[in-house]
Amino acid sequence: MRTNQPKTIYLSEYRVPAYLVDSVDLTFELFEEGARVHSVLSVRRNPDSDAGPAPLELDGDSLKLESLALDGKTLDEGAFEDLGDRLVIPGVPETFELTVVTWIEPQNNTRLEGLYKSSGMFCTQCEAEGFRCITYFPDRPDVMSRFRTRIEAEKSAYPVLLSNGNDVDRGDLADGRHFVTWEDPFPKPCYLFALVAGDLVEKRDSFTTCSGREIDLRMYVEPRNAEKCDHAMDSLKRSMRWDEDVYGREYDLDIFMIVAVDDFNMGAMENKGLNIFNSSCVLASQETATDMAFQRIEAIVAHEYFHNWSGNRVTCRDWFQLSLKEGFTVFRDASFSADTGSPTVKRIEDVTLLRTAQFAEDAGPMSHPVRPSSYMEISNFYTLTIYEKGAEVVRMIHSLLGPDMFRKGSDLYFERHDGQAVTTDDFVRAMEDASGRDLSQFRLWYEQAGTPVLDVSDEFDASAGIYRLTIRQSIPDTPGQSNKQPQHIPFAMGLLGAQGQALPLRLRSGDTDAPLERVLELTDAEHTFEFHGLDERPVPSLLRHFSAPVRVSYPWTREQLQFLMSHDPDGFNRWDAGQRLAVDVIQGLVGNPDEDAIDSRLVDAYRQLISDSSLDQALVAKMLQLPSEAYLIELSEAADAPAIHAARERVLKRLATALRDELVACYNRNHQSGPYRVTPEQIAGRSLRNTALSWLLLINDDEGRELASQQFRAADNMTDRMGALRALVNSDYEADRERVLSEFYERFRHDPQVVEQWFSVQAASGQAGRLPQIRALLEHEAFDWKNPNKVRSVIGAFAGQNLAEFHKPDGSGYEFLAEQVCRLDDSNPQIAARLVTPLTRWRKFAPSYGEQMKAGLEKVRDKAGLSRDVYEVVHKSLA
Ligand code: 0A1
Ligand code: ZN
C-alpha cells in the first residue's frame, strides 16, 4: 500500500532525468497465481543532465523484487537501496544494461493500475504511474524508450496475446503454453505501454492512409460482444480520415488495435497502437446503447485515436503538462464531433458540461490552473479543468489565429517536436511562431486558475446613435492564488435590431462593410467599445458560441431573453437565452413554495418551440431541456438543493400542464418509422419524443402513461426503451415502475453495460433512488464492488444526479457517501477519490447542509490508512 503521508510535488522542482533508457526488453510469464516480469533496460547517462554520476533511481510500487543485475552481474542487497517506492542504485557506469525481475499478482490488483485481471483476461493501465506497479523503471513521461515485449501464457485460456507495435514472433512452448513477441519501433514513455492476454474474438477491418498504406484494424472483445463492434470500427475509420484531412496526420504503425475491458477506472487509454477501452465506451448495438452512448463512443474512439499524434508522437515532459495532450485532444475530438453531427448541439453539450461541472471545480477547493504547479497524487488531476478548460484554451487560440494560422501552428508543433516530450509553453510558442501573434498575455490562461467574470453594462446615446458596451473582467481568488492579472479573452458578439435583424458593427462612424459579428479582444481589466450609426437601442448578443470559458453577467430583461431565443442568429446564444430565462424563472420560485404561477413568457416560448416544426429540431430538443439541478446549484450561493429541486419540478409541471396537448402532438409527430440511425435528425426526433413523454408522466397524464408503456414494449432501440423506462420510473405510477424495472432487468441481465444503465436510472431517480433502495442496489446480485462502472452507476449517480435525496436535510445521503468512500478507499483509491467529490463542495451549500457535508469529509479524513488519492482531495477540501 502507498504511504499515507503524501508529499507535494512541484513543477518548480522539475529536473531533466539523470539517466535515459534507450530500449526495454520485457518478458511476461503470466500464471493464475501471479506474473513474473523480466525487464532488460539499456541505460545511459543523460548528456543534458548536470546531475553527473548520480545514483540511478527507479520507481516501484507493490512489487516483489526477485533479482537485479547490472551488466549481467547480480547485485546483492548491499549494492542498492530499497526505499519502498524507489530503488536507488549508486555507482552505476555511464552506460549499462540493467536486468530486473519482479513478481506481481495481477489477480489481486483491485486498484486497476499496472497489470490486472478483468473478467478473466490480463490487461494493463499505465497512465499516469501504473508502469511502476509492473517493474522498477524511471516512470516519468520524459524517459522515452523502444519497447520489445514477449508474453508467455497458457494457450487455451489466453489465445490472444497483445502489446504495442507489430507482432514479430510467436510460437508454442511446453506445458500447453505459447508466446508472442511485439516490437514497437516508436520510442515512447512507459505510460503508453500496454499488454492484453485473454480469450477474445477478433474483428478485422482495414484503412488505406492518404499515402496509400494499408492499415490492419483489429478490435478484440469477449465473444458475447462480437456484435457490438461496428460502430466503434466505423468511428475509428472516420477519425483516421478526419485527422488526415483536417490536421494532415497519417497513422504510423501497420496495425491499430482496440480492446474492450469491463473493469477500467477511466473511459479509455491511448496506448501506442493498442488502445484499451472501458467496455461502456466502445461497445454498442441499437438494442443496448442509447443515442448518447453512440455519440460518446464515437467521441472517445476519436479522442484516443487522435492521441496518436497529440500525446504519443509528441508527449508531455512531465505530468504538470497533462493538458498539452488532453486539452488539445479534447479540442480535436470536439471539432471532429462537430463536423460529424450538429455543431451547435455539440457546442451546447460541451458548454453545459463546462459550466455545470468545470466551473464548479474551478470555484471549489481543488481549483487548479490548466497547467498546475503542484500536486500530491497525479491521478487526481485528470480533471475537467485539464480536459475541458484545456480544450477551451486551445479553442480560443484557434479563434484568435483563425483556422489557417492555427493549422500552420499545429503543423509546426508536430514537426518541431515529433518524438519529444514537451510543455504547454512549447505548444503556444509553435502557435506564435507560425502566426506571428504575440500570445504572452494569453499564457495566463495556463497559469491562473478560476473562471473569469465579465461584468457587462451598456448605454445608448440616442442623439449620437452610439451604443457603448463596457466590459469589466475579474478573476476570483482560488487556493494559493489571489490578485490575478487580466487575461486575453476573445469575446464574440453581435447586435440585434428591434425586428430581430443583425446590425452592422461599426466601430467608427461611417464604417462601410462593417461585419455583423465581431470577436472583440479583451486584454485590460476594463474596455468600452462604441458602436456607431444605430437608430435605436440594440439588443446585445454576447459571448457568441461561448467564445471563452467565462461567466457573463449582464442585466438582461426577460423580454430581451425571449427575443434572443427566437431571433439570435447564433444558435448557441438562442439556446443560452432560453437557459437564462428558465434559470431566472426557477430561481424566482426557490424558497417560495406558495408561488404557483410561472411567467407566461416561458410558457409561450416553450409552446413556440414545441409546435413550430420548421425550426431546427436538434436545437429545439436541446432548448426544451430545463437547466439541470446541478447547474442551478452552481449558480447559487448558500444552495438549498431540495428547494432548487422542488422549484424546478414545479416549473416542469406547470409547463407540462400548460402544454399538454402540444406535447402529445409533438410525441406523435416525431414517430419514426424507418430503420434506426444515429443521425442528428433522428436523434432530435427521439429526444423530443422522450422529453414529451417524461413531461406527460410528471403530470400523471393517463395518455402519457399508455404511450410510455407501449413504447417500452415496442421499442427497437435502447434510446426509446430507456426513455420510456426513465419516464415511468420517475412517475407516480408505482406499479408500472416496478413492472418495467423488472421486465427490463430480466431482458438484459446478461449484459453488464445495460445493467449499468438499469442501475443508474434508479439511483438517479427521486422516486426509485431513496436511500434504502440505493442500499438494496448495492446488495443486488449484479452489483460488483470491484467494477468501477457499477460503483459509478449506483453511488456516483445517486450523489451526482439524485440531488434532492443526496442532500436530504437529515444528512443521511452524506453519511452514506462517506461510508462508501471509506470502503472503496482500500480497494480502489482512484475511484474513491473521484466519488468523494460531491462532499468537497460543502462551502457552496447553506450551512445546515454544508456542516453535515463537512462532517462526512471528516469521517473520511479520519479513516485509518487513507490512500494518497483520497488524502489529497479530503485535506484540500477541509483546509
Ligand atoms: N489518457 C486517457 C485517460 C486516462 C486518464 C487517467 C488514467 O489514469 C489515471 C487513465 C486513463 C485519455 O485521455 O483518454
Ligand atoms: Zn485523452
Side-chain angles (χ1 to χ4, degrees):
M1 203 59 216
R2 292 168 167 183
T3 163
N4 57 10
Q5 286 187 322
K7 77 176 210 290
T8 301
I9 301 169
Y10 295 94
L11 169 60
S12 59
E13 290 174 359
Y14 173 83
R15 298 290 174 272
V16 299
Y19 291 90
L20 301 174
V21 179
D22 291 324
S23 66
V24 187
D25 208 321
L26 296 166
T27 300
F28 287 81
E29 296 177 72
L30 303 178
F31 306 101
E32 294 313 307
E33 62 280 8
R36 182 165 292 109
V37 185
H38 304 253
S39 161
V40 182
L41 313 180
S42 306
V43 188
R44 73 184 154 94
R45 203 175 288 160
N46 183 359
D48 296 334
S49 163
D50 51 15
L56 174 72
E57 295 202 5
L58 303 174
D59 302 294
D61 187 348
S62 317
L63 299 173
K64 183 162 176 268
L65 180 65
E66 290 198 337
S67 67
L68 190 63
L70 198 149
D71 286 334
K73 271 185 36 203
T74 302
L75 295 180
D76 56 32
E77 278 186 13
F80 63 90
E81 221 183 333
D82 185 348
L83 299 179
D85 62 350
R86 256 171 317 150
L87 274 193
V88 180
I89 312 172
V92 295
E94 242 186 270
T95 61
F96 56 98
E97 189 177 271
L98 190 77
T99 308
V100 188
V101 182
T102 50
W103 176 257
I104 53 179
E105 294 186 352
Q107 74 280 9
N108 297 326
N109 179 350
T110 57
R111 280 164 52 188
L112 314 186
E113 295 173 75
L115 179 63
Y116 63 94
K117 285 193 91 173
S118 170
S119 312
M121 68 200 263
F122 287 90
C123 61
T124 53
Q125 174 51 42
C126 292
E127 187 177 7
E129 296 181 336
F131 195 73
R132 64 184 64 187
C133 306
I134 294 175
T135 183
Y136 286 100
F137 197 80
D139 189 357
R140 44 188 289 169
D142 54 355
V143 171
M144 300 175 78
S145 324
R146 276 198 183 78
F147 281 70
R148 184 184 166 90
T149 306
R150 174 180 160 114
I151 310 165
E152 301 179 4
E154 199 208 314
K155 191 169 182 173
S156 61
Y158 307 101
V160 172
L161 304 176
L162 310 174
S163 191
N164 319 86
N166 303 310
D167 45 336
V168 292
D169 194 13
R170 63 175 63 227
D172 288 334
L173 300 165
D175 302 326
R177 293 172 68 78
H178 72 143
F179 76 93
V180 179
T181 304
W182 292 83
E183 224 171 57
D184 183 356
F186 292 96
K188 63 168 176 289
C190 64
Y191 84 85
L192 291 172
F193 169 80
L195 173 157
V196 170
D199 187 0
L200 304 169
V201 292
E202 183 185 77
K203 290 280 179 180
R204 282 197 174 214
D205 208 322
S206 69
F207 177 81
T208 309
T209 70
C210 49
S211 73
R213 289 173 42 246
E214 190 79 359
I215 313 296
D216 193 357
L217 307 179
R218 306 180 190 169
M219 279 186 72
Y220 293 92
V221 297
E222 287 178 51
R224 64 186 164 82
N225 292 324
E227 304 312 314
K228 291 183 172 185
C229 298
D230 293 351
H231 179 62
M233 190 63 99
D234 178 56
S235 303
L236 173 63
K237 289 187 285 183
R238 286 185 289 106
S239 309
M240 295 177 90
R241 185 64 72 216
W242 188 90
D243 213 14
E244 291 181 346
D245 293 345
V246 180
Y247 281 85
R249 300 292 114 200
E250 184 181 359
Y251 186 61
D252 48 11
L253 287 163
D254 299 333
I255 313 176
F256 186 84
M257 294 174 282
I258 285 180
V259 182
V261 304
D262 284 347
D263 305 300
F264 204 73
N265 282 346
M266 309 292 271
M269 179 62 212
E270 69 262 25
N271 316 297
K272 183 76 187 187
L274 177 55
N275 289 0
I276 298 182
F277 279 68
N278 185 324
S279 298
S280 72
C281 296
V282 67
L283 302 173
S285 70
Q286 170 180 342
E287 292 77 22
T288 62
T290 58
D291 293 343
M292 236 167 81
F294 272 92
Q295 291 176 298
R296 185 180 68 223
I297 288 166
E298 178 184 85
I300 299 181
V301 167
H303 179 97
E304 305 310 328
Y305 174 71
F306 296 155
H307 267 315
N308 190 55
W309 276 96
S310 49
N312 301 0
R313 288 287 287 257
V314 182
T315 195
C316 301
R317 187 192 72 171
D318 54 71
W319 292 122
F320 299 101
Q321 318 298 330
L322 184 56
S323 196
L324 172 80
K325 72 177 178 82
E326 296 306 349
F328 187 23
T329 305
V330 172
F331 172 73
R332 278 152 54 70
D333 82 56
S335 317
F336 166 74
S337 297
D339 287 354
T340 311
S342 154
T344 306
V345 167
K346 173 65 181 158
R347 190 68 190 137
I348 289 170
E349 287 166 353
D350 290 349
V351 172
T352 301
L353 174 66
L354 192 83
R355 287 206 298 216
T356 307
Q358 195 279 325
F359 281 17
E361 180 174 278
D362 226 353
M366 286 290 287
S367 171
H368 55 275
V370 170
R371 192 202 59 199
S373 54
S374 70
Y375 61 78
M376 287 180 181
E377 168 53 59
I378 187 56
S379 303
N380 288 332
F381 283 76
Y382 286 76
T383 60
L384 290 155
T385 300
I386 300 293
Y387 277 70
E388 310 302 326
K389 187 175 180 182
E392 293 297 318
V393 170
V394 176
R395 194 171 187 277
M396 287 187 287
I397 297 180
H398 185 273
S399 78
L400 289 170
L401 267 57
D404 295 343
M405 281 301 167
F406 184 87
R407 170 64 196 271
K408 276 192 170 177
S410 75
D411 283 352
L412 179 62
Y413 168 73
F414 287 126
E415 188 196 323
R416 186 184 271 178
H417 297 298
D418 190 10
Q420 295 178 3
V422 303
T423 63
T424 54
D425 208 45
D426 292 318
F427 179 80
V428 178
R429 193 167 310 116
M431 291 291 162
E432 286 183 322
D433 291 350
S435 67
R437 281 214 59 157
D438 176 2
L439 295 174
S440 33
Q441 184 185 7
F442 186 86
R443 282 180 170 78
L444 290 170
W445 278 106
Y446 288 94
E447 292 158 24
Q448 296 189 154
T451 306
V453 178
L454 301 182
D455 275 303
V456 183
S457 56
D458 55 357
E459 60 178 28
F460 182 58
D461 179 342
S463 57
I466 296 175
Y467 175 72
R468 287 191 190 87
L469 200 61
T470 298
I471 308 176
R472 282 182 205 89
Q473 110 167 244
S474 60
I475 308 175
D477 291 351
T478 47
Q481 287 189 340
S482 49
N483 297 327
K484 297 176 197 180
Q485 299 168 52
Q487 292 180 181
H488 184 174
I489 300 175
F491 186 87
M493 51 77 66
L495 298 176
L496 271 66
Q499 312 312 316
Q501 75 280 25
L503 301 171
L505 305 173
R506 300 187 188 95
L507 291 173
R508 271 178 297 271
S509 66
D511 237 0
T512 51
D513 281 347
L516 302 177
E517 177 172 310
R518 281 188 184 272
V519 180
L520 307 175
E521 294 194 23
L522 313 179
T523 49
D524 297 338
E526 183 172 329
H527 290 264
T528 297
F529 299 91
E530 286 189 349
F531 299 93
H532 295 253
L534 296 162
D535 305 330
E536 55 185 353
R537 184 186 191 95
V539 176
S541 163
L542 306 175
L543 200 74
R544 282 193 173 159
H545 349 285
F546 205 70
S547 62
V550 299
R551 297 176 197 265
V552 173
S553 140
Y554 173 81
W556 274 288
T557 63
R558 289 188 181 179
E559 286 74 19
Q560 284 177 320
L561 291 172
Q562 198 185 1
F563 175 82
L564 289 170
M565 265 179 95
S566 42
H567 293 108
D568 200 314
D570 178 39
F572 175 84
N573 265 10
R574 264 210 312 271
W575 168 81
D576 196 32
Q579 293 289 295
R580 285 177 194 273
L581 179 59
V583 164
D584 202 39
V585 171
I586 298 169
Q587 280 176 342
L589 296 188
V590 174
N592 207 352
D594 299 330
E595 178 58 67
D596 211 24
I598 62 167
D599 193 326
S600 62
R601 276 170 288 222
L602 190 69
V603 181
D604 292 344
Y606 272 60
R607 176 173 289 117
Q608 203 197 337
L609 283 172
I610 299 180
S611 317
D612 187 348
S613 54
S614 70
L615 300 172
D616 171 1
Q617 296 296 289
L619 183 57
V620 169
K622 284 286 161 202
M623 291 185 78
L624 285 180
Q625 310 294 325
L626 281 191
S628 69
E629 288 170 22
Y631 184 52
L632 291 159
I633 289 174
E634 207 288 313
L635 291 177
S636 32
E637 274 164 38
D640 179 338
I644 288 174
H645 170 80
R648 184 178 181 278
E649 288 275 298
R650 225 162 344 127
V651 171
L652 268 177
K653 286 183 181 168
R654 289 265 119 219
L655 285 171
T657 308
L659 303 174
R660 192 254 162 216
D661 293 345
E662 287 85 346
L663 288 168
V664 174
C666 168
Y667 183 88
N668 291 327
R669 191 176 64 235
N670 283 291
H671 177 75
Q672 289 171 353
S673 44
Y676 173 86
R677 290 229 176 71
V678 191
T679 57
E681 299 74 32
Q682 280 207 9
I683 293 172
R686 284 187 286 271
S687 168
L688 286 169
R689 246 165 101 78
N690 287 317
T691 301
L693 214 48
S694 69
W695 286 22
L696 288 169
L697 279 156
L698 265 185
I699 52 168
N700 300 333
D701 185 276
D702 280 339
E703 190 178 348
R705 174 193 184 191
E706 193 40 48
L707 292 172
S709 292
Q710 255 174 37
Q711 178 174 315
F712 178 76
R713 272 194 307 274
D716 71 348
N717 65 83
M718 183 52 90
T719 307
D720 285 339
R721 198 181 304 277
M722 183 51 81
L725 177 73
R726 181 171 292 114
L728 287 164
V729 164
N730 288 323
S731 76
D732 289 331
Y733 300 113
E734 197 177 334
D736 297 67
R737 180 189 319 145
E738 300 306 324
R739 178 177 53 80
V740 288
L741 278 171
S742 79
E743 277 179 34
F744 188 96
Y745 182 70
E746 284 313 312
R747 187 183 192 117
F748 294 110
R749 59 190 300 166
H750 299 298
D751 189 323
Q753 285 97 58
V754 183
V755 173
E756 283 158 27
Q757 301 175 57
W758 180 78
F759 274 130
S760 47
V761 79
Q762 295 173 78
S765 157
Q767 301 282 32
R770 309 247 158 82
L771 204 44
Q773 295 159 310
I774 300 290
R775 288 198 186 269
L777 291 180
L778 297 182
E779 300 296 323
H780 192 274
E781 58 170 13
F783 189 80
D784 176 2
W785 282 99
K786 295 211 181 76
N787 179 257
N789 292 2
K790 297 289 184 332
V791 169
R792 281 186 280 253
S793 65
V794 177
I795 306 170
F798 170 70
Q801 294 169 51
N802 193 353
L803 298 180
E805 289 301 312
F806 175 61
H807 292 279
K808 257 209 145 124
D810 64 5
S812 53
Y814 310 146
E815 251 176 70
F816 168 80
L817 184 61
E819 184 188 324
Q820 309 319 322
V821 169
C822 289
R823 174 176 185 152
L824 277 160
D825 185 57
D826 291 323
S827 55
N828 190 329
Q830 262 189 36
I831 297 296
R834 282 184 184 268
L835 227 51
V836 78
T837 307
L839 290 176
T840 67
R841 304 279 154 75
W842 62 276
R843 285 189 182 85
K844 181 92 201 154
F845 292 85
S848 61
Y849 298 97
E851 286 305 316
Q852 298 192 81
M853 295 171 84
K854 189 170 166 228
L857 277 178
E858 286 163 349
K859 188 171 154 195
V860 176
R861 179 196 61 196
D862 297 339
K863 173 193 170 267
L866 198 62
S867 68
R868 181 165 67 206
D869 309 58
V870 177
Y871 179 101
E872 175 172 34
V873 176
V874 168
H875 279 257
K876 287 185 174 170
S877 315
L878 288 170

